[in-house]
Structures are given as structure tokens and as C-alpha cells.
Amino acid sequence: MSASIITDTDTAAQALRAGQLVAIPTETVYGLGANALDESAVLKIFTAKNRPSFDPLIIHQSTPERILAYASEISEEAFKLAEAFWPGPLTMVLPKHRSVPDMVVSGLPAVALRVPDHPVALELLSKVDFPVAAPSANPFGFVSPTTAQHVKDQLGERVDYILDGGPCRVGLESTIVAFPNGEATILRKGGLPIEQIEEILGHRLAVKTHSSSQPEAPGMLSKHYSPGNHLEIFERLEEDQPIPAGSARIVFGRGGKAISYDDKRLITTYDLSPNGELAQAAQQLFTFLRLMATHNYPFVAAELLPETGLGRAINDRLRRAAATE
Ligand code: AMP
Ligand code: MG
């Protein structure tokens, strides 16, 4: 099997109804979609990604009303966030409705819900009468895809269709909020800056994003988003930082060109946003990490971004890409 890249949501909807796998565009990253209420379709997601069964899936629908139907209880704060940020790069973890199969939630009592902000995804979701489970469409542990071609390169043999909606606008996965003991808590830093959530709720949020294979912290593995190169993190990469010839540097906000080559030191520099814009850096990050893998650089030096807004999520991905266990 080799996936066809399509643009027609009727074909994609029909495939989902038939229990097939369809990669779908969202504003965050491309998702590997299947009917969340069909256990054999959901199993295909875990198999195609090589994803451990303890790592639960996010389910998607086209409106807040349609997706919140899969929660059994919705707190006031959850309603507020749904109103403020859906459609958008926010996932909320809420007590699950009994109609959601245990396989989707890895046996947990809660389910992760999202309304994506992408016209093609919304059109597709509005055509099916079930929620679509869709983790990032990459092999487990690797960098998430932000174009249809990225999906084709890595999972082309394992999905039925890839619905092309162009390059992802945000480029980072959704921010995940859960409400353990009723208290809004960040489980994953992502495409919605934490500061914006705090502004709506009127208080600071606890951040609990680490980091094991224990079921109580599913999916928050410290080693993730790995391009496979030896990657090291620096607070700031000075021009004269000694790194081996043939290496790559990932920097932020240095003016000049996005990609440049120093032929004296044989070092390639990738600037995530020459003008220092965090949104552009987020959008570029996974494309650049993929280039690290494609060029097979033996050493990659990456500098951290300002720890604010989207910079916090970008730094989180860089740290995980550099983690060795
Ligand atoms: P992905 O869709 O691959 O970006 O990953 C989805 C992530 O959402 C998982 O790895 C979990 O960390 C988180 N998640 C999904 N469902 C739940 C849940 N029921 N409880 C807690 N976290 C969840
Ligand atoms: Mg993922």
C-alpha cells in the first residue's frame, strides 16, 4: 500500500467511515486519523505509529458542542477555555464519557478533546458523525510532520490517504490542559501560549510536563521529537563556540539568512527566525529538525529561545530532541 495524497474531504470522510487511516492537516501538525469509536480502526493507529498502548490519543470534532459530548463532566473553567480557544491549539483532558473506547484513552478515566483550527480538518470532521482520534502522523518518538510530504516520507506505506491542507500554520502540537482535583494544569506546552490561558482564567497554572513511561504521566517521555542526530543544547550559541567541522547550528533572531553555510569552518547555520519572531520559529522548528536528519549532521548545536510565549514550547521540544533517555 502507498498512500494517495488527496484534497477531497468526501473521499477522506468515506475512508474514515470504512475504518481506514487518513492523515489529516491541522493548524498544529498533521494527525493520523481514525474513527475513535471503532476499536479496530484505533488499533491501526497504534500499529502504524509503533506507539505504545499506554500513550492515549486526542480525539477531534468540528465544534465545541460536538466534542464536549465525549466528556462526562465539564467544569466551569473548561467551558471558559473552550469558548475562548476552540477552534485552536488547545487540548483539554476531561472525565470521559462511556461511549469512548478504553483503547483510545489507554484505560484512563479521562479523555483528551480538541477542535482544530484548520478549514480542511473542520470540513472533514463536520462530515462524519463520530470523533476522530488523531495523534501526530509520525513514527513514535520522531519529529511531528508539518506537511503532507513529511507524512508520505515516513508513513506513506502505512496509511490509506493523506489529506493535503498545506503546511501547518502553528507547527507545534497543541497545548494540553488537564484538571486534576479541579485545578487547571498544563500537561504539555504547545501552540497556545500558557500566558493566554492564564489571562482567561485569571490565575497562574501549574505545569506538570514530565516525564516517564508511567501511566499517570502518559506520553510525556523526556526523549521525544528526536531527529536521531547527536544534538546539544546551549543557553546561547556564541559565534566562536567551538563545534566540529561538518556540524549544524540552530539559532534564533540573528538577522541574515534563514540557512547559511560557513565554508571556512564547514558549519551550516539554521536561523529559526532571523527577525526574532517566536511564531515563525515554531512554524519552522520541525522542518529544521527534519533537515538535521536528512543531512545526517554528526553534531547539532541548538540554542534556547527566550522562555516566554511560544518560546517555552519550542525550548521544551529542543530539550526533548536532545534527551538521550
Ligand atoms: P499526540 O497526539 O501524539 O501529540 O499525543 C497526545 C498526548 O496527549 C499523549 O501523549 C498524552 O500525553 C496526552 N493525552 C492524551 N489523552 C490523555 C488522557 N486521557 N490523559 C492525559 N493525557 C492525555
Ligand atoms: Mg506525537
Side-chain angles (χ1 to χ4, degrees), residues 21-185:
L21 291 184
V22 180
I24 57 175
T26 80
E27 82 282 26
T28 59
V29 302
Y30 273 72
L32 183 59
N35 177 353
L37 304 184
D38 174 347
E39 288 194 69
S40 63
V42 172
L43 181 60
K44 289 181 190 168
I45 294 179
F46 284 97
T47 309
K49 281 192 58 127
N50 221 348
R51 184 178 176 108
S53 59
F54 62 72
D55 196 1
L57 307 177
I58 298 170
I59 68 173
H60 304 76
Q61 245 307 341
S62 56
T63 66
E65 294 69 31
R66 290 189 78 194
I67 196 64
L68 286 171
Y70 299 98
S72 62
E73 217 184 292
I74 306 155
S75 65
E76 209 174 300
E77 290 206 328
F79 267 121
K80 266 195 200 164
L81 296 184
E83 199 173 28
F85 299 117
W86 279 348
L90 170 74
T91 294
M92 287 200 282
V93 175
L94 295 172
K96 106 175 175 67
H97 187 267
R98 58 191 146 66
S99 60
V100 180
D102 286 334
M103 190 191 291
V104 170
V105 295
S106 304
L108 294 167
V111 62
L113 309 173
R114 187 164 99 86
V115 179
D117 185 16
H118 190 293
V120 176
L122 292 173
E123 185 180 300
L124 171 64
L125 291 168
S126 70
K127 289 180 179 177
V128 295
D129 60 2
F130 46 78
V132 173
S136 53
N138 53 278
F140 184 71
F142 193 72
V143 179
S144 301
T146 52
T147 66
Q149 190 60 44
H150 290 164
V151 182
K152 176 121 177 149
D153 291 345
Q154 290 200 294
L155 293 179
E157 303 302 313
R158 294 173 173 222
V159 304
D160 297 289
Y161 294 100
I162 300 168
L163 183 59
D164 193 348
C168 300
R169 174 172 59 80
V170 175
L172 292 175
E173 298 80 357
S174 58
T175 299
I176 304 181
V177 178
F179 301 87
N181 313 312
E183 218 173 288
T185 303

